[in-house]
Amino acid sequence: MAGPAVVSAAAAAAAAAAAALVAVLLLLRREDPGPGAGPSMAETEALSKLREDFRMQNKSVFILGASGETGRVLLKEILEQALFSKVTLIGRRKLTFEEEAYKNVNQELVDFEKLDDYASAFQGHDVGFCCLGTTRVKAGAEGFVRVDRDYVLRSAELAKAGGCKHFNLLSSKGADKSSSFLYLQVKGEVEARVEELKFDRYSVFRPGVLLCDRQESRPGEWFVRKFFGSLPASWASGHSVPVVTVVRAMLNNAVRPSDKKMELLENKAIHDLGKADGSLKPCTLE
C-alpha cells in the first residue's frame, strides 16, 4: 500500500493534469461554436456508394497506436466495415485478440528508438493512420516530445518512402507550433513537419477532448470528461467528441475522393462527418 507521500504525489499529479487540461479548454472556448446539422439522407447514401467503390480498390492500411483508445476503436471499425484488403498494425508489442474478425490482422513489431532498422514494416501500404500519443504526466516533458513528435515524424517519413499515398494524423484541437502550451505546440509542430513530406493526400484531425473511458488511468482526463458530462450538450459538443465519432470521421473521409493535398478537419467537421452513418455500432471499449 502506498504511503502518504506517494498518495500525495499522485494526487498532486492528477490535480496538475486536470488544471492543465481545463486551462487549455478555456483557451479554446473562443473557437468554433460546435457541430451543426448532420448529413442529409442523400449524403448518407452517397457515402455508402463511396465505401463500395473504395472496397473494390483492394487497398492496404497500417495503424500506428492501435493499443491506444482511438487506435483500438479505429481497428474495430476498419474490420467491421471491411474497407481494406490488408490491415497491418505497427507497434512495439504484439496485441492479443480473441475475436475471429481479427485473425487476418498483420502485426509488425518495431523499436521506435531504432525505427530505421524497421523500414520494411512501413512498405507497401496505401493508407496510414497515426494515433500515436502519450501525455506529459505519463512520460515527462522529454518523453512526450519524443513520442508525439519524433516517433510520429519518423514513422511518417518511413511511410512516405514506403509508398504510402494517404497519411492520416490524429492531432488535437488548438494545435499550434507557436503555442505557449507544450502539448499544443508539439502537436502543431508535427503537423507542419509531416506536411513538408508532401504525401499525395494528408489529412489532419483536430478533435477536442476525447470522450470515452480509457483502459489506462489518466486522472486529469477523467476529471475533464466528468466536467463535460455535466454541461449542456450543445456547449460540450463544441469542445469534445466521442472517440467513435472521430474514428468514423477518419474512415468516412478516407473513402471520399479529394484533390486536396492537405485537409484539416477541426472538431465541428469531425462531428458532422462522423455522424454520417447512424447505423454503425456505438463505441464500446472492453
Side-chain angles (χ1 to χ4, degrees), residues 19-31 227 235 239:
L21 281 167
V22 171
V24 171
L25 292 170
L26 292 175
L27 178 69
L28 300 176
R29 287 187 62 176
R30 64 178 181 271
E31 296 188 1
F227 170 73
W235 195 95
H239 304 279

Side-chain angles (χ1 to χ4, degrees), residues 1-251:
M1 182 176 180
V6 175
V7 173
S8 177
L21 281 167
V22 171
V24 171
L25 292 170
L26 292 175
L27 178 69
L28 300 176
R29 287 187 62 176
R30 64 178 181 271
E31 296 188 1
D32 63 89
S40 66
M41 180 64 70
E43 290 172 325
T44 300
E45 292 175 353
L47 177 60
S48 179
K49 178 63 166 60
L50 288 173
R51 286 176 178 156
E52 289 299 328
D53 293 344
F54 189 88
R55 293 186 186 103
M56 295 296 291
Q57 298 176 51
N58 292 318
K59 292 188 175 184
S60 60
V61 65
F62 73 82
I63 302 174
L64 285 159
S67 62
E69 182 176 15
T70 305
R72 286 186 296 106
V73 179
L74 175 61
L75 173 60
K76 183 173 182 290
E77 288 286 349
I78 282 177
L79 295 177
E80 287 185 352
Q81 295 188 33
L83 293 175
F84 298 93
S85 60
K86 181 179 180 182
V87 179
T88 300
L89 310 182
I90 301 176
R92 61 185 177 82
R93 61 184 175 85
K94 186 174 183 179
L95 304 181
T96 301
F97 304 105
E98 297 180 357
E99 296 90 341
E100 182 72 10
Y102 292 80
K103 67 178 183 179
N104 293 323
V105 173
N106 302 287
Q107 298 197 53
E108 294 282 354
L109 304 186
V110 302
D111 181 346
F112 283 100
E113 293 292 337
K114 303 175 181 177
L115 272 180
D116 288 351
D117 294 341
Y118 301 88
S120 61
F122 295 86
Q123 294 178 354
H125 308 291
D126 300 298
V127 180
F129 290 95
C130 182
C131 303
L132 282 178
T134 186
T135 66
R136 185 170 180 172
V137 171
K138 181 179 179 181
E142 183 179 340
F144 164 69
V145 173
R146 187 164 66 252
V147 173
D148 283 56
R149 186 192 66 192
D150 299 345
Y151 290 178
V152 170
L153 179 58
R154 189 57 188 142
S155 294
E157 291 171 343
L158 292 173
K160 179 66 164 62
C164 179
K165 304 299 184 184
H166 184 189
F167 190 81
N168 298 267
L169 177 64
L170 180 64
S171 185
S172 172
K173 178 172 180 167
D176 181 354
K177 61 183 179 181
S178 63
S179 174
S180 58
F181 286 94
L182 178 65
Y183 181 83
L184 300 179
Q185 176 189 333
V186 168
K187 292 295 186 181
E189 182 182 353
V190 77
E191 282 183 7
R193 294 181 67 176
V194 172
E195 185 177 6
E196 293 173 358
L197 299 178
K198 305 297 183 183
F199 281 94
D200 288 1
R201 186 178 179 187
Y202 173 42
S203 303
V204 177
F205 297 83
R206 288 182 174 176
V209 174
L210 296 174
L211 300 179
C212 208
D213 292 332
R214 291 184 186 273
Q215 287 188 336
E216 64 175 300
S217 176
R218 292 184 180 178
E221 291 187 0
W222 177 89
F223 173 83
V224 173
R225 285 169 182 164
K226 294 299 181 183
F227 170 73
F228 273 109
S230 66
L231 296 175
S234 59
W235 195 95
S237 63
H239 304 279
S240 62
V241 58
V243 168
V244 71
T245 302
V246 176
V247 164
R248 290 171 182 170
M250 285 178 153
L251 295 179

